[in-house]
Amino acid sequence: MRLKGLTKFFFILILFIVTLAFFNILSPWYSAILWAAILAVIFYPLKNKLRTRLAGRNGLASVLTVGIICLIVFTPLAVILSSLAFEINLVYSKLQHNDTQFPAVIASLINHLPQWARHLLAEHNLDSAEQIQRQLSSVALKGGQYLAGSAFLIGKGTFGFTISFGVMLYLLFFLLKDGPWLVRVIMESLPLSGFVKRHLFAKFAAVARATVKGTAVVALVQGVLGGIAFYIVGIDGSILWGAMMAFLSLVPAVGSAIIWVPAAVFLFATQQLWQGGFIVGFFIIIVGLVDNILRPLLVGKDTRLPDYLVLITTLGGMEIYGINGFVIGPLIAALFIACWNLLSGRDHEGNTDEINEAFIEEGKKTPDVEC
C-alpha cells in the first residue's frame, strides 16, 4: 500500500512539473493563444453557417472564416493605424517647423492663471509662446533621436508581433475546425462533475464574447464620435485624439473623459466658449448615452457582473496583463463568482448555464484531416 501511495505521489509530482513546464513553454505566446480562443468563440457560429452552406466541408469553412475575420477586423484596424501614424507624423512635423497654434493657445491660457502659478512657470521658462515652442521643438527633436536610436528594438518588436500574429491565425484555424473536439478532450480530463464543467465553460465563452464584442463596439463608437467632435471645434489631430479616446474607453466609468475634460477646460480658459460648451454637451449627452446604454447592454447583460466589479477587474487586469487585461480581468472575476456560487449551492444542476447540444455532439466526432 505504501508503494502504491508513493507511486501515486510521484506521478502527481511528475504531472505537476510537466504541466508547469508546458505552460512555461507556451508563455511567450499567451496573447496569441488567448485571442485565437476568443475569436474562435465569437466567430464559431459564423463558421457553422458556412459549413452548412458548403455541404459539411469543415476545413474550408474554417479557412473562409479566418479570411472573413481578417477582412472585417484586421483590415480596418490596419487602415486606422496607418491614418494614426500619418497624423502623429503631421503633428511631429508641425512641432519641428514651429507650425502649430498650440504654444500660442497655451500662452493665452497661462495669462488666465493666478500670479503664483505664472511665477512658477516663469522659473521653468514656460511663461511665453516662444519659450513653450522651443521646449516642444526640443522634445520633438529628442523624440526623433530616441526613435532613430531605437530602430533595431522597434524592428525586433515588429518582427515579434508579426510572428505572434501568424501564430494566432494558425491556432485560430484549428480552433475553429477542431474546437468542439478539443473542448471535449479537456472537459473529460477535468475531475469535475459534468454540469460543473459545462457551466464553467459556458461562463467562459459568454464572458469572453460579451467583453470583447461589447468593449470593441463601445470603443469604436466613442472614438469615432470623439474624433468628430474635436474636428468640429477645430482641435488639431482629431484622429489621434479619437484613437486615444477609443483606447481609454476600455476603462469603464472614466474612459474618454481623461481626454475631453481637459480639452473643454482648455477651450473655456482660452475664451472659446461655444466650442467648450459643445464639447461638454456632446460628450455628456451623446457619448454618455452611448456608454450608459451600449456597455450594460453588450457587456453587463451576459457577464452578469456589477459595474463596479467590471471597473475594478478591468483596471487590475490591465495593470497585470497589459492590454489583454480588459478581457482577462472580467473573465477571472466571472469564473471566481461562478466557482463560489457552485460551492455555496446558489448555482446547481437545475440553474447553471449549459453548452449548446449541437456543440457537444460535434465534439464527439474525431477531427477530420480533409477540408
Side-chain angles (χ1 to χ4, degrees):
M1 294 297 294
R2 183 183 178 188
L3 289 175
K4 184 178 179 180
L6 286 175
T7 302
K8 185 176 181 180
F9 169 77
F10 278 113
F11 175 76
I12 293 175
L13 179 62
I14 292 171
L15 178 64
F16 174 77
I17 293 173
V18 171
T19 303
L20 189 64
F22 176 74
F23 282 105
N24 187 50
I25 290 173
L26 295 181
S27 61
W29 311 107
Y30 93 92
S31 292
I33 296 171
L34 173 68
W35 285 104
I38 290 173
L39 290 174
V41 168
I42 293 174
F43 289 94
Y44 184 80
L46 174 63
K47 188 221 67 169
N48 272 350
K49 291 181 180 179
L50 290 175
R51 185 182 61 181
T52 302
R53 291 179 176 273
L54 294 171
R57 302 183 68 181
N58 191 40
L60 180 58
S62 300
V63 171
L64 291 177
T65 304
V66 172
I68 292 172
I69 292 172
C70 290
L71 286 176
I72 68 175
V73 177
F74 299 120
T75 301
L77 184 61
V79 173
I80 293 172
L81 289 176
S82 63
S83 301
L84 182 59
F86 173 79
E87 188 128 332
I88 292 174
N89 183 62
L90 184 63
V91 173
Y92 175 75
S93 300
K94 285 186 176 182
L95 287 175
Q96 279 192 317
H97 298 90
N98 299 334
D99 185 22
T100 176
Q101 298 177 347
F102 183 72
V105 176
I106 288 293
S108 175
L109 176 61
I110 290 172
N111 292 332
H112 294 81
L113 295 176
Q115 183 63 36
W116 64 268
R118 292 201 298 269
H119 179 70
L120 180 64
L121 292 173
E123 291 179 354
H124 295 85
N125 296 321
L126 293 173
D127 59 337
S128 69
E130 293 78 11
Q131 290 171 337
I132 294 172
Q133 182 65 65
R134 282 198 296 269
Q135 293 285 354
L136 289 174
S137 298
S138 176
V139 169
L141 179 60
K142 290 179 180 178
Q145 291 173 346
Y146 175 79
L147 290 176
S150 304
F152 174 76
L153 295 177
I154 294 173
K156 182 179 178 182
T158 303
F159 177 76
F161 173 79
T162 304
I163 296 297
S164 182
F165 183 75
V167 170
M168 185 202 69
L169 291 181
Y170 183 76
L171 286 174
L172 177 59
F173 166 74
F174 283 102
L175 289 178
L176 287 169
K177 180 174 176 287
D178 304 326
W181 178 80
L182 291 172
V183 170
R184 183 181 67 83
V185 170
I186 294 172
M187 291 180 66
E188 287 181 350
S189 302
L190 296 175
L192 297 170
S193 63
F195 86 91
V196 170
K197 291 184 286 190
R198 293 186 180 189
H199 175 60
L200 292 179
F201 177 79
K203 181 66 68 175
F204 168 84
V207 173
R209 186 186 301 112
T211 303
V212 173
K213 288 171 64 177
T215 305
V217 170
V218 171
L220 179 63
V221 172
Q222 287 197 10
V224 170
L225 291 176
I228 292 173
F230 274 37
Y231 177 79
I232 291 173
V233 299
I235 296 178
D236 290 337
S238 57
I239 296 178
L240 175 61
W241 296 118
M244 291 182 66
M245 281 185 276
F247 174 76
L248 291 170
S249 69
L250 298 177
V251 182
V254 183
S256 58
I258 299 174
I259 300 295
W260 72 260
V261 169
V265 172
F266 176 83
L267 292 170
F268 281 123
T270 54
Q271 303 301 313
Q272 302 179 69
L273 300 182
W274 80 263
Q275 292 93 332
F278 175 80
I279 288 292
V280 172
F282 185 86
F283 278 91
I284 290 179
I285 298 174
I286 305 300
V287 179
L289 283 175
V290 167
D291 190 69
N292 292 329
I293 293 175
L294 286 182
R295 194 182 295 275
L297 184 64
L298 297 174
V299 181
K301 182 179 178 181
D302 288 332
T303 60
R304 300 175 189 173
L305 296 175
D307 291 341
Y308 66 86
L309 189 58
V310 173
L311 172 62
I312 295 172
T313 55
T314 299
L315 291 174
M318 294 179 72
E319 176 69 22
I320 298 173
Y321 301 104
I323 187 64
N324 297 320
F326 85 90
V327 178
I328 298 176
L331 184 60
I332 292 175
L335 293 176
F336 170 81
I337 293 175
C339 289
W340 278 101
N341 283 342
L342 288 168
L343 183 64
S344 66
R346 290 186 62 187
D347 288 344
H348 48 80
E349 194 166 1
N351 67 356
T352 51
D353 297 331
E354 286 288 337
I355 307 176
N356 185 281
E357 289 298 327
F359 184 87
I360 297 174
E361 290 300 320
E362 186 179 346
K364 295 178 180 179
K365 302 176 183 178
T366 304
D368 56 308
V369 295
E370 296 181 357
C371 291

